[in-house]
Amino acid sequence: MNSLQDWEKAIRLAASRIEPFVTHTPVVPSPWLSDRLGQSVWLKCEQFQPMGAFKIRGAANALIEYCAADRTSKAVTYSTGNHGLAVAHLCRTLGIHGTICISQHVPEHKVKKLRELGVQTVIAGKSQDQAQRVAEDLVRDQHAHLIAPFDDPAVIAGQGTIALELLEQVPDLAQVVVPVSGGGLIAGIAAWVKSQRPHVTIIGVSMERSPVMYESLRLGHPVALPEQETLADSLQGGIGLDNRYTFSMVQQWVDDVVLVSEAEIVQALVHLALREGLFVEGAAAVAVAWALRAGHKLSGPTAIILTGRNADIAPICRAVNTGIGNILQS
Ligand SMILES: *Cc1c(COP(=O)(O)O)cnc(C)c1O
């Protein structure tokens, strides 16, 4: 799985496999952003997926590839939340035994949802990396299949199906803007877009608080950073020091990775809610936040991936309350 042709094939296969489990999400024009930025801006609404995030795509493709042939096989994963929710939901749908390892920092509302879905949850360690090690031990001990959240070819190909849909829905794009954490989402999107329309620019956006992919790119190799609290909690976590796929794909096919502040994230969240009637989580708002700042630099018709809607409302309310004057003036 190195060349764009390999990825193109894998993404086409993924699209047909995952069809019964995912939504063909709408792309809506954003009159507010288009007007403000002087370019057509489109929003790909992955927050409408089952379980509220795009993660269902990669999880479905990986579970079908690794587990579906043998229904007695077990799936294990670790996750900051949305990937875990998707795996839990799909395990129930497909009748696969699933176990989810999550760190102590995953918000309580997400843990509660996982338990309600009936999967085994193991709360292990202070970080995503520690939860990952516990999951890998379980995989060895139970002969289970690891459904990794991002650094896996089946997961990446599943996320790439977003771009396959997007280019059918809006054929004449100049630019796609994508939130980045572990990079499975942007790697899959970039692979498809560069295989079909090499001239289209791919921009990744992360938060300023511990942007692991950004720092890794800057230093030329995967690095680890301590986690910090952020409104974009679904973007927390590392890329893995032994990253095998996403880091080099991002290096090759992503044109730029940029950062936004917490204040910019909350502004984007509030504007999306008030002006477009779209409620998303902080991780999904980072790309809108960057577009607002980078308005004059948009190079043509732009698609922004809205990635999910599973927000813990309390931190958003706190951020709005401390900065509301600022938000309403801008
Ligand atoms: C996982 C996730 C991302 C980032 O995806 P990666 O593949 O880890 O880069 C962005 N937004 C939401 C809502 C997510 O759940």
Side-chain angles (χ1 to χ4, degrees):
M1 288 292 279
N2 284 318
S3 72
L4 283 174
Q5 288 90 327
D6 291 342
W7 284 107
E8 186 183 345
K9 259 206 283 200
I11 292 167
R12 269 189 219 287
L13 173 65
S16 64
R17 273 180 176 166
I18 69 177
E19 171 99 52
F21 308 103
V22 305
T23 299
H24 203 97
T25 56
V27 175
V28 298
S30 170
W32 154 62
L33 283 170
S34 303
D35 190 47
R36 182 151 170 168
L37 307 182
Q39 294 286 356
S40 308
V41 178
W42 304 86
L43 304 171
K44 175 71 169 157
C45 294
E46 287 291 304
Q47 77 272 26
F48 297 139
Q49 286 295 354
M51 306 315 291
F54 73 87
K55 292 284 201 313
I56 192 92
R57 294 177 184 263
N61 194 42
L63 281 165
I64 292 165
E65 175 140 343
Y66 304 135
C67 299
D70 172 11
R71 294 293 159 105
T72 65
S73 60
K74 293 177 175 175
V76 173
T77 190
Y78 52 92
S79 169
T80 56
N82 284 331
H83 175 72
L85 281 175
V87 171
H89 166 76
L90 288 160
C91 280
R92 193 157 73 169
T93 309
L94 293 164
I96 293 166
H97 181 280
T99 302
I100 307 218
C101 303
I102 45 188
S103 92
Q104 290 159 4
H105 291 312
V106 174
E108 183 52 37
H109 68 107
K110 289 189 177 174
V111 179
K112 197 165 148 250
K113 256 195 222 166
L114 286 170
R115 294 218 168 104
E116 283 165 7
L117 283 165
V119 279
Q120 203 175 337
T121 54
V122 177
I123 298 186
K126 290 190 165 52
S127 69
Q128 174 98 338
D129 291 343
Q130 285 175 14
Q132 176 177 350
R133 278 193 285 282
V134 173
E136 285 163 356
D137 290 345
L138 274 179
V139 164
R140 261 194 314 277
D141 299 346
Q142 301 189 352
H143 303 290
H145 298 276
L146 185 64
I147 310 298
F150 55 86
D151 200 27
D152 177 285
V155 171
I156 295 166
Q159 322 304 28
T161 62
I162 294 173
L164 185 154
E165 281 176 27
L166 177 64
L167 291 187
E168 282 171 4
Q169 291 164 308
V170 191
D172 63 339
L173 286 172
Q175 184 161 254
V176 183
V177 191
V178 187
V180 177
S181 175
L185 172 65
I186 199 168
I189 287 177
W192 182 263
V193 170
K194 295 292 176 181
S195 78
Q196 308 296 308
R197 310 259 206 291
H199 61 277
V200 173
T201 308
I202 310 285
I203 308 285
V205 190
S206 297
M207 67 290 178
E208 287 171 356
R209 297 197 173 166
S210 301
V212 180
M213 182 64 82
Y214 176 90
E215 284 300 323
S216 301
L217 290 168
R218 201 171 64 79
L219 295 166
H221 58 88
V223 299
L225 298 175
E227 274 178 24
Q228 297 182 71
E229 253 182 59
T230 169
L231 287 167
D233 57 276
S234 290
L235 301 186
Q236 281 175 327
I239 69 167
L241 291 175
D242 53 353
N243 188 294
R244 294 175 60 199
Y245 300 96
T246 62
F247 178 65
S248 70
M249 292 174 78
V250 170
Q251 271 183 320
Q252 284 179 77
W253 296 319
V254 171
D255 296 276
D256 201 5
V257 175
V258 294
L259 303 181
V260 292
S261 69
E262 296 298 300
E264 288 175 305
I265 294 170
V266 75
Q267 283 202 18
L269 276 176
V270 171
H271 280 303
L272 274 169
L274 296 182
R275 296 174 201 266
E276 305 292 4
L278 294 172
F279 179 76
V280 298
E281 57 178 284
V286 296
V288 172
W290 175 79
L292 281 173
R293 184 210 303 159
H296 55 285
K297 282 187 288 187
L298 292 190
S299 58
T302 297
I304 293 174
I305 313 297
L306 297 182
T307 48
R309 62 157 191 253
N310 291 322
D312 191 359
I313 201 77
I316 297 175
C317 290
R318 274 197 298 276
V320 167
N321 282 335
T322 52
I324 189 81
N326 221 348
I327 289 165
L328 294 181
Q329 276 158 28
S330 65

